[in-house]
Amino acid sequence: MKKLTVIALTAVMLMGSFVAKAQGKFGADSAECIKYLSYYSEYYKQKNYDEAIPNWRQAYKLCPPQSRQGLLVDGSTLVRRLITKNASNAAYKQALVDTLLTLHDLRAQHFPTSATTALNNKGTDINNYLKGNDEAMYKGLDDIITKLGADTKATILLFDLNSAIALFQAGKLDAETVINTYQRNISLVDQLTAKTDAEKTQNSNVKTDMESLFISSKVASCDNLIALFGPRYEADKNNLDLATNIVKMMSSADNCTSNDLYLQAATTMHSLQPTAQSAYFLYRLNNSKGNADAASKYMEEALASADITPEQAAQYNYEYATFCVKNQMNAKGFEAAQKAMELDSSKTGSCYYLMGTIWGSLACGGDEIAKRAKYWVACDYMNKAKAADESLTEDCNKMIGAYSVYFPQTAEAFMYDLTNGQSYSISCGGLRATTTVRTQK
């Protein structure tokens, strides 16, 4: 009783000093407004929330929203307590939730400098108190994101996507809307500026969760993506952002990288913004589709790119050498293998093995010795390969055994005035080598 008397006296004193200028800020009944603001505030400071609530209600009823920001902030805390206390009363709880969300809206409207905080808090409360009502969640969260853009908290972007996917799975939202929601939200996460390491980690985790949620939802089926992006691409084939988006989205979907749209979009990306990586990407794509000429063209572009690193060049050359062996492009394959081991000595053994394979596969003309001399060169490279990399010994010995059966007989070599150990030069398939005569034992 004594505390209440003190509060009342304080309010009366305040009314006397503020009554002249309070007519506008505190409404038509400014004295009553100020009185109940004072009453609830004192109880609130004392954490006597049960007594604060009825006085806050009166203040909220009497005072204009712009009278004091604390009226709306403190009210949010008090209403949350009421929601928890009345969780079993569904109708009353819903009315309280509506009031809580309204408080956030009023704060954003009348205190613009706090609008971002107010709307982000609203988003958190929507997630906490509207679970199970996906339509209301999606509508409310989407409205907040539209207003805040890159100022939206990362978790709200995740909640929004989750509600959109739930509506899609319930047949209440189409795939295109969900895909657009995902693209917008993932883009906004990338734009967020973290103020602390903890916030940076949280944003990264949210992005990972969004990607995992979207992929597992199966919203972005390959058929859906082709139906959605096919007409867009046809209408604007030189749009780099669109092409990049198509490649990114199709890469995240199951089995969606072998269609023509994916290849066309990737080609557009490279033509508008060429890099070693994009050229290599197109090499891989065309190789997987059996387009050997196009694959070779793009790998050569990748190798000639100014932005390629020595490590990439070594790996790309080795991969290209292997590709050339499979596609009977022997001279190019040999050259690529040479460059690969020059750039990365750890590949020496494997490159010599490829060189030996290339020589062994050549079709050489000339006399009987000239036709089979390639096997001497092939064995030379297999011996170099196992000397450079002992792990290749077994494979190299198998190849040497297979090639050796084609060596000429001693008598046959003698007819061409050749003997074991004699030097022999060969030119075949655009390649040249000097080797040693060997005959079958």
Side-chain angles (χ1 to χ4, degrees):
M1 186 67 184
K2 183 176 181 181
K3 286 182 179 178
L4 185 58
T5 302
V6 171
I7 293 170
L9 288 172
T10 302
V12 170
M13 293 172 66
L14 285 171
M15 282 188 285
S17 60
F18 289 122
V19 68
K21 61 180 180 180
Q23 296 297 326
K25 183 178 180 180
F26 294 102
D29 197 348
S30 58
E32 287 297 293
C33 167
I34 293 170
K35 180 176 73 174
Y36 283 103
L37 281 173
S38 180
Y39 284 174
Y40 103 76
S41 294
E42 289 300 322
Y43 284 125
Y44 190 89
K45 290 175 186 176
Q46 297 167 22
K47 297 185 179 181
N48 186 351
Y49 300 120
D50 289 340
E51 292 295 336
I53 286 171
N55 289 285
W56 173 84
R57 278 181 168 149
Q58 281 298 107
Y60 181 60
K61 179 180 178 182
L62 293 165
C63 301
Q66 68 271 21
S67 60
R68 182 184 295 173
Q69 186 170 183
L71 175 68
L72 307 174
V73 176
D74 297 342
S76 299
T77 301
L78 295 173
V79 173
R80 288 190 196 101
R81 293 179 64 86
L82 285 172
I83 291 171
T84 301
K85 188 175 181 180
N86 295 277
S88 60
N89 187 335
Y92 184 40
K93 177 186 174 183
Q94 184 57 56
L96 290 169
V97 170
D98 291 343
T99 299
L100 176 61
L101 301 184
T102 298
L103 290 174
H104 294 307
D105 287 334
L106 290 171
R107 185 184 180 196
Q109 177 185 348
H110 294 286
F111 300 92
T113 57
S114 298
T116 297
T117 300
L119 292 176
N120 276 317
N121 289 346
K122 180 182 179 182
T124 301
D125 282 332
I126 286 175
N127 182 66
N128 289 337
Y129 300 118
L130 294 184
K131 282 181 179 176
N133 188 347
D134 294 310
E135 290 179 271
M137 279 191 66
Y138 179 69
K139 181 179 179 181
L141 294 173
D142 220 53
D143 179 65
I144 291 169
I145 295 167
T146 299
K147 291 175 179 176
L148 293 183
D151 289 325
T152 310
K153 283 178 63 176
T155 50
I156 292 173
L157 298 170
L158 176 61
F159 300 153
D160 179 62
L161 176 62
N162 191 46
S163 62
I165 289 172
L167 288 174
F168 168 79
Q169 293 171 340
K172 296 179 179 179
L173 206 62
D174 59 87
E176 180 175 357
T177 302
V178 182
I179 291 170
N180 289 339
T181 297
Y182 169 75
Q183 291 178 311
R184 178 197 64 187
N185 290 10
I186 206 79
S187 174
L188 290 174
V189 169
D190 287 335
Q191 296 175 48
L192 296 178
T193 302
K195 296 178 181 177
T196 64
D197 288 342
E199 190 176 342
K200 183 178 181 180
T201 299
Q202 182 188 50
N203 293 348
S204 176
N205 290 340
V206 165
K207 182 177 180 179
T208 300
D209 290 344
M210 286 175 66
E211 291 171 338
S212 299
L213 177 64
F214 185 70
I215 292 169
S216 64
S217 71
K218 305 298 182 183
V219 174
S221 70
C222 198
D223 288 342
N224 282 343
L225 293 175
I226 291 173
L228 173 62
F229 289 115
R232 294 186 189 178
Y233 179 79
E234 288 299 320
D236 196 2
K237 290 185 176 181
N238 292 316
N239 186 323
L240 178 60
D241 290 337
L242 175 61
T244 303
N245 198 18
I246 291 171
V247 170
K248 183 177 181 180
M249 293 298 295
M250 287 190 160
S251 296
S252 69
D254 291 337
N255 304 314
C256 201
T257 58
S258 60
N259 59 81
D260 290 340
L261 177 59
Y262 185 78
L263 179 58
Q264 290 167 355
T267 303
T268 295
M269 283 177 62
H270 177 67
S271 65
L272 296 176
Q273 199 172 69
T275 64
Q277 189 172 2
S278 65
Y280 174 73
F281 185 56
L282 284 171
Y283 152 76
R284 296 285 300 271
L285 274 179
N286 281 282
N287 186 28
S288 69
K289 293 174 75 68
N291 303 331
D293 290 343
S296 178
K297 168 183 174 291
Y298 284 116
M299 179 58 95
E300 289 178 0
E301 280 191 34
L303 292 169
S305 296
D307 66 325
I308 192 170
T309 66
E311 294 79 10
Q312 285 177 320
Q315 180 56 39
Y316 289 3
N317 270 296
Y318 181 76
E319 192 170 339
Y320 190 39
T322 304
F323 166 85
C324 290
V325 169
K326 292 179 180 178
N327 289 278
Q328 292 78 52
M329 300 163 63
N330 296 311
K332 286 185 176 181
F334 193 89
E335 182 183 2
Q338 282 183 313
K339 289 181 179 178
M341 67 180 186
E342 288 170 5
L343 291 164
D344 184 354
S345 60
S346 70
K347 298 186 186 299
T348 299
S350 297
C351 289
Y352 277 143
Y353 184 91
L354 280 174
M355 292 174 181
T357 302
I358 289 170
W359 270 101
S361 67
L362 294 176
C364 302
D367 58 36
E368 286 304 310
I369 298 299
K371 288 179 181 178
R372 287 185 277 174
K374 65 180 185 178
Y375 296 116
W376 294 332
V377 182
C379 287
D380 292 341
Y381 279 107
M382 290 300 167
N383 282 317
K384 289 181 179 180
K386 66 181 182 179
D389 186 347
E390 291 183 0
S391 68
L392 296 173
T393 299
E394 184 177 351
D395 289 336
C396 289
N397 285 340
K398 287 180 181 179
M399 297 304 291
I400 291 170
Y403 294 145
S404 297
V405 299
Y406 298 104
F407 289 177
Q409 299 290 331
T410 301
E412 187 178 13
F414 180 77
M415 292 178 63
Y416 289 92
D417 198 24
L418 296 171
T419 59
N420 274 315
Q422 186 176 338
S423 179
Y424 187 93
S425 294
I426 177 174
S427 177
C428 178
L431 300 176
R432 294 176 180 275
T434 298
T435 184
T436 305
V437 174
R438 273 150 284 181
T439 59
Q440 293 191 42
K441 297 178 181 179

